[in-house]
Amino acid sequence: MFGDFIVNPKLRDIAKVLYRQWVDVAIANSSLTYELARKILGLNKERLFICWPVSPKINAFRNIEPRVGSDILSICYLGHITLNDGADFLPTIYRILKREIKNAKMYVIGSPLERNSTLFRKLVRFSKKEEGFRVLGPLPDEQVKEIFARCIFFVYPARFKAFGLPVVEAMSAGLIPVITKNVGARDFVVRLSPKLIVDSPEEIVETILKIYTHGKDYIRELSHVAKHVALSYNENIAKRRFIRILKTILSKLRE
C-alpha cells in the first residue's frame, strides 16, 4: 500500500529497497499512486493493483443537502493544514474568487500536523483581515455536517495526496469537488466530470466560476451526480474488490 510518503525522497529510497527485496505484490490506493509506483519504484504492472479506500464517514454525510439555491457562494476545505495538502493556496483561491463574486465565503476545516504550525497561524491571520474567510480548525462530524450544508463547492488544491478521503466525503454530501490532478481521489471526481480536475489554484477558481454562472439547475444536477458517485463505492464493494485482487495474486504466485 502506498501513502503520501511515496514522494518523499528519503522514504522513497527505503521503499525501493524494501519492495525489491521483500514484496511480491503491491496494492495502490489510487491510479495516482499506481503510476508513481511504476515510475518511481519500478514495480511490475502485473504485480501491482488498485483498491480504493472507503471513508467510514460517507454514510454520516449522505443526508446533507447543499445550499444550491443560496445567493452566497460558499466553499469549503477539509483536510490537513499542510503544504502537501495545498492549504497555503486557500487564501489565493479566496482572493481571486472574491474579486469576481463579492458574496463568496470559504470555510477551512482541519488541523496542522505540527503543534506550532506557521501555515496555520498565517491562515488565522488572513481570516482576521477577511471576514468571509473562516478558519475553523478540526471539527466533530456534526459540525462538519453543518458546514457542508452551507456550501456548494469543495476545493482540494493539494500538491500531492495519495488519495484524499475528504474529497469523497464532500461528494457524498452533494458538494461539487474541484481538485488538482495530484489527488488520488481524482479517480472518483473524473466520473463526475474531468473538467473538475485542474492544474492550479487559478484554474480552481476559473472552474468554480464557470459552473456557478451555468445556473442553479446545472449545479443541482452536478451535486446529485457527485453524491451518487461517492455513495456507489461502499465498504462491501471495496471488500469484494480486495478479495478479487487477493485471488488474482494467489493465482499468479502459483504460476
Side-chain angles (χ1 to χ4, degrees), residues 160-173:
F160 180 79
K161 199 66 182 174
F163 188 76
L165 282 172
V167 176
V168 184
E169 291 168 358
M171 288 173 65
S172 73

Side-chain angles (χ1 to χ4, degrees), residues 193-206:
S193 172
K195 294 179 181 179
L196 299 173
I197 305 167
V198 300
D199 291 316
S200 67
E202 292 77 14
E203 288 183 14
I204 285 178
V205 177
E206 184 181 327

Side-chain angles (χ1 to χ4, degrees), residues 72-244:
I72 299 173
L73 175 55
S74 295
I75 298 163
C76 71
Y77 167 88
L78 170 64
H80 294 306
I81 308 302
T82 64
L83 295 176
N84 226 31
D85 290 63
D88 57 312
F89 290 133
L90 297 175
T92 300
I93 292 169
Y94 179 75
R95 280 196 199 101
I96 301 171
L97 192 62
K98 192 75 172 177
R99 287 202 294 263
E100 301 295 330
I101 307 291
K102 298 301 180 185
N103 61 351
K105 286 189 176 182
M106 180 178 284
Y107 299 92
V108 180
I109 307 169
S111 59
L113 295 180
E114 310 88 29
R115 180 171 295 180
N116 296 310
S117 169
T118 302
L119 175 55
F120 189 79
R121 292 199 300 271
K122 284 182 178 179
L123 292 181
V124 171
R125 285 198 298 270
F126 182 78
S127 71
K128 291 177 180 178
K129 295 184 293 182
E130 298 285 347
E131 186 180 350
F133 186 92
R134 297 187 60 189
V135 180
L136 304 173
L139 296 177
D141 289 348
E142 287 304 313
Q143 288 182 261
V144 173
K145 288 180 189 179
E146 292 176 12
I147 300 301
F148 277 180
R150 297 178 193 177
C151 297
I152 303 171
F153 293 94
F154 180 87
V155 296
Y156 211 78
R159 289 179 174 82
F160 180 79
K161 199 66 182 174
F163 188 76
L165 282 172
V167 176
V168 184
E169 291 168 358
M171 288 173 65
S172 73
L175 300 188
I176 301 168
V178 186
I179 68 172
T180 61
K181 63 183 180 182
N182 303 314
V183 178
R186 67 186 189 185
D187 294 352
F188 286 76
V189 178
V190 74
R191 293 168 58 191
L192 176 57
S193 172
K195 294 179 181 179
L196 299 173
I197 305 167
V198 300
D199 291 316
S200 67
E202 292 77 14
E203 288 183 14
I204 285 178
V205 177
E206 184 181 327
T207 302
I208 289 172
L209 292 174
K210 282 180 180 177
I211 295 170
Y212 192 63
T213 54
H214 261 75
K216 294 174 183 177
D217 288 341
Y218 180 69
I219 292 171
R220 194 171 285 108
E221 176 61 23
L222 274 180
S223 171
H224 174 76
V225 178
K227 186 183 285 283
H228 174 75
V229 168
L231 296 176
S232 66
Y233 188 72
N234 56 40
E235 188 174 351
N236 287 333
I237 293 173
K239 286 177 179 177
R240 289 200 296 269
R241 183 181 180 87
F242 198 83
I243 289 170
R244 284 199 302 271

